[in-house]
Amino acid sequence: EVEEVIEQADYLYGSGETEKLYRLLVQHKTSGDAELLWRLARASRDLAQLSSTSAEAKKQLVYEALEYAKQALEKNELNFAAHKWYAICISDVGDYEGIKAKIANAFVIKEHFQRAIELNPKDATSIHLMGIWCYSFADMPWYQRKIAAVLFATPPTSTYKEALRYFHMAEEADPNFYSKNLLYLGKTYLKLNNKKMALLWLSKAKEYPAHTEEDKQVQKEALELLNSI
């Protein structure tokens, strides 16, 4: 039965049927199957991201997603997707728990992304997210750095060059897989003052066919950045 549900779930995910997908999977939340549970974590998170979801429901879904991802990981330590979604969901919860919690979770998040990449080196999304992690720590404002220095003997740090390496690795693993990876390649090149390469990647991001709300946001940001160069 689990295999049938997963097949149905993947079809709904591919069709962008977020609400239907969540309704299908949430019926099986006690299944104890890691493949099912990480998909439920993803579906809960996707539902939380919809603009039609109220702030209250969004918060509840974000915490729910983390719980499902945690269960998936407990069921199967060697499931790369469980590591990936656990890291994503911890990061989301950080938005509700303040900057201290967000920074305190940074190492845990990094560790799970790295584990996901080890378990599946071809998963472009995990590699992209590792790039985002590096970018956000390279881009960290001074007051957050001060908090980080209080929390850790050696606070989390990174560089734009490191972020760039991951974004390129993600593109190599699966070319043109995600509008946001193209956008971040452009943004990182801008931070490194390489306008020529920034223009190339931002143009790709702007021309990426918009299938989701996120793609539309990416197009908008890419266009604004292109106009500012």
Side-chain angles (χ1 to χ4, degrees):
E1 192 198 356
V2 167
E3 274 168 25
E4 261 177 49
V5 175
I6 287 172
E7 204 176 307
Q8 222 178 327
D10 289 349
Y11 173 75
L12 289 171
Y13 181 75
S15 327
E17 296 274 6
T18 308
E19 281 140 341
K20 269 188 196 165
L21 174 61
Y22 175 79
R23 283 201 300 272
L24 167 75
L25 289 172
V26 83
Q27 296 168 38
H28 303 276
K29 65 181 179 187
T30 55
S31 82
D33 185 276
E35 287 291 327
L36 223 145
L37 285 162
W38 75 253
R39 283 174 172 81
L40 178 54
R42 179 180 68 182
S44 307
R45 182 181 187 270
D46 286 349
L47 193 55
Q49 302 275 333
L50 292 182
S51 52
S52 55
T53 304
S54 72
E56 211 174 307
K58 183 187 168 98
K59 184 176 179 177
Q60 193 185 336
L61 284 161
V62 162
Y63 278 91
E64 236 177 75
L66 177 59
E67 190 47 45
Y68 298 138
K70 194 173 148 194
Q71 287 173 22
L73 208 50
E74 282 162 5
K75 294 293 172 196
N76 186 358
E77 258 287 289
L78 297 174
N79 187 310
F80 86 92
H83 283 279
K84 171 168 82 176
W85 288 98
Y86 183 63
I88 291 170
C89 294
I90 288 182
S91 177
D92 287 348
V93 163
D95 292 340
Y96 292 99
E97 304 198 333
I99 197 70
K100 255 190 182 165
K102 224 171 167 51
I103 295 167
N105 286 332
F107 285 117
V108 181
I109 292 168
K110 183 182 186 181
E111 196 185 302
H112 285 283
F113 283 144
Q114 284 177 327
R115 189 75 184 108
I117 295 166
E118 275 167 29
L119 290 166
N120 184 0
K122 293 207 172 348
D123 182 53
T125 319
S126 299
I127 304 169
H128 163 80
L129 291 165
M130 197 58 238
I132 294 279
W133 189 96
C134 295
Y135 185 95
S136 55
F137 280 97
D139 205 35
M140 199 185 221
W142 64 268
Y143 67 91
Q144 291 185 12
R145 281 185 205 283
K146 281 183 88 163
I147 298 170
V150 172
L151 288 173
F152 297 108
T154 48
T157 55
S158 190
T159 62
Y160 292 118
K161 280 200 168 126
E162 197 180 359
L164 191 67
R165 189 171 64 84
Y166 280 111
F167 294 139
H168 273 299
M169 270 168 63
E171 256 340 276
E172 278 161 33
D174 189 1
N176 224 22
F177 75 106
Y178 187 27
S179 59
K180 211 167 171 182
N181 201 58
L182 305 173
L183 175 70
Y184 269 89
L185 275 158
K187 282 171 79 160
T188 313
Y189 272 119
L190 265 186
K191 293 283 186 187
L192 294 165
N193 292 317
N194 186 333
K195 282 190 179 171
K196 193 178 152 202
M197 291 303 282
L199 284 168
L200 170 80
W201 290 104
L202 290 171
S203 302
K204 285 188 182 196
K206 182 180 73 85
E207 281 147 28
Y208 193 92
H211 296 301
T212 63
E213 283 184 33
E214 188 178 42
D215 291 335
K216 285 175 194 148
Q217 281 305 115
V218 163
Q219 281 184 347
K220 190 170 157 247
E221 194 178 339
L223 184 62
E224 283 165 9
L225 287 167
L226 282 165
N227 289 336
S228 72
I229 295 174

